Amino acid sequence: MRILLVEDDDRVASFLERGLRAEGYFIVRASDGKEGLELATEGDFNLILLDIMLPGLNGLEVCQALRIKKFDTPIIMLTAMDQSQDIVKGLKLGADDYVTKPFSYDELLARIEVVVRRSPVNQKNSNELVFEQLVFDRDSYIVTLADDEISLTVKEMAILELMMTNPGKYLSRERILSNVWGMEMDPMTNVVDVYIGKLRKKLTMPDQEESMIETKRGIGYRLIQTN
């Protein structure tokens, strides 16, 4: 996985480069905002680690410019602890997450993993769908929740695939019927409700009561975050 690191502090950059390369990531570094913006628009990166305090263009300006140019590469902002206003502004401009300096290296790795797995950009060329701790491998037809494999029927898998390719969006009963069973099904049937009920139970974490499937009466069903 290719990561663009935009950081002007040589000590911090060197520490991150060594650590991330040891984890198997390919790292490209820029030491100022202008160089970072140029590399981000020219290279094919899975993630950008972007410091806010940079010479030339600051991190907020780089983030804004990338989003205006329709670059959807996920961005994690690196910020000082007293930059709460900049954190809020960065998130509003399109950053996906942030870590505050000094930060725990393990926390940074965890945030990188979560942001990359959630990003539609990194799922475009993958046959693996990921939502939170739910993973659907469409090559092997294996579905895991929190690393535990769950058993699904063919129809349940079809419904789940439809929901995972539309994360966070409500899907109507009619749309699910059309995509999973075909237009020949009676629109008044309750088959969708039955299968959603079964799927809801299977998509509930062992230590939680709330399922990953949310129902909104009269609207439809969607996947939600449960933590």
Side-chain angles (χ1 to χ4, degrees):
M1 186 174 75
R2 290 169 54 84
I3 295 178
L4 173 61
L5 172 63
V6 189
E7 171 61 70
D8 64 316
D9 186 317
D10 290 334
R11 181 180 59 84
V12 173
S14 178
F15 166 73
L16 289 176
E17 284 187 87
R18 288 197 307 271
L20 293 172
R21 282 179 176 146
E23 296 293 330
Y25 298 121
F26 181 84
I27 308 300
V28 176
R29 184 201 169 186
S31 56
D32 61 61
K34 182 179 179 182
E35 181 185 15
L37 181 59
E38 290 176 352
L39 287 172
T41 56
E42 294 171 0
D44 182 18
F45 295 99
N46 302 96
L47 176 75
I48 300 173
L49 294 178
L50 180 61
D51 188 28
I52 285 185
M53 301 298 292
L54 293 168
L57 296 174
N58 64 41
L60 296 175
E61 293 170 323
V62 173
C63 179
Q64 183 178 35
L66 287 172
R67 295 310 187 228
I68 289 175
K69 294 175 181 289
K70 306 300 182 184
F71 282 89
D72 296 328
T73 308
I75 296 173
I76 296 180
M77 307 293 292
L78 307 178
T79 76
M81 293 194 69
D82 59 351
Q83 293 177 319
S84 58
Q85 290 184 339
D86 286 339
I87 290 172
V88 173
K89 187 174 181 181
L91 293 173
K92 288 183 177 179
L93 289 173
D96 296 87
D97 203 350
Y98 67 91
V99 291
T100 55
K101 300 177 183 178
F103 50 80
S104 160
Y105 182 66
D106 288 338
E107 177 189 359
L108 176 62
L109 287 179
R111 289 182 179 272
I112 288 174
E113 181 180 350
V114 169
V115 168
V116 169
R117 289 176 65 180
R118 286 178 179 172
S119 171
V121 172
N122 293 313
Q123 294 181 24
K124 285 178 180 177
N125 298 318
S126 172
N127 226 16
E128 184 177 84
L129 298 174
V130 179
F131 184 88
E132 293 295 303
Q133 298 186 66
L134 182 64
V135 181
F136 184 176
D137 187 325
R138 292 186 288 185
D139 288 326
S140 63
Y141 294 100
I142 292 176
V143 178
T144 57
L145 180 59
D147 296 324
D148 292 327
E149 185 174 346
I150 56 177
S151 178
L152 299 178
T153 67
V154 174
K155 294 298 186 186
E156 288 170 347
M157 282 191 181
I159 294 173
L160 181 60
E161 181 179 23
L162 183 62
M163 299 183 84
M164 292 186 75
T165 52
N166 294 275
K169 296 181 180 179
Y170 284 107
L171 300 176
S172 67
R173 293 173 70 255
E174 292 75 17
R175 181 172 179 185
I176 296 174
L177 272 175
S178 175
N179 280 268
V180 177
W181 279 273
M183 296 300 294
E184 70 277 5
M185 285 294 294
D186 180 355
M188 300 303 292
T189 181
N190 69 341
V191 67
V192 171
D193 307 278
V194 171
Y195 273 85
I196 286 291
K198 294 179 180 179
L199 199 53
R200 179 181 283 111
K201 292 179 181 178
K202 295 180 180 181
L203 298 186
T204 301
M205 298 286 286
D207 58 342
Q208 296 182 1
E209 295 182 359
E210 184 182 16
S211 173
M212 297 183 71
I213 295 182
E214 179 186 68
T215 301
K216 191 166 185 178
R217 189 176 298 276
I219 302 297
Y221 314 91
R222 69 171 179 172
L223 288 176
I224 60 170
Q225 300 177 14
T226 57
N227 53 2

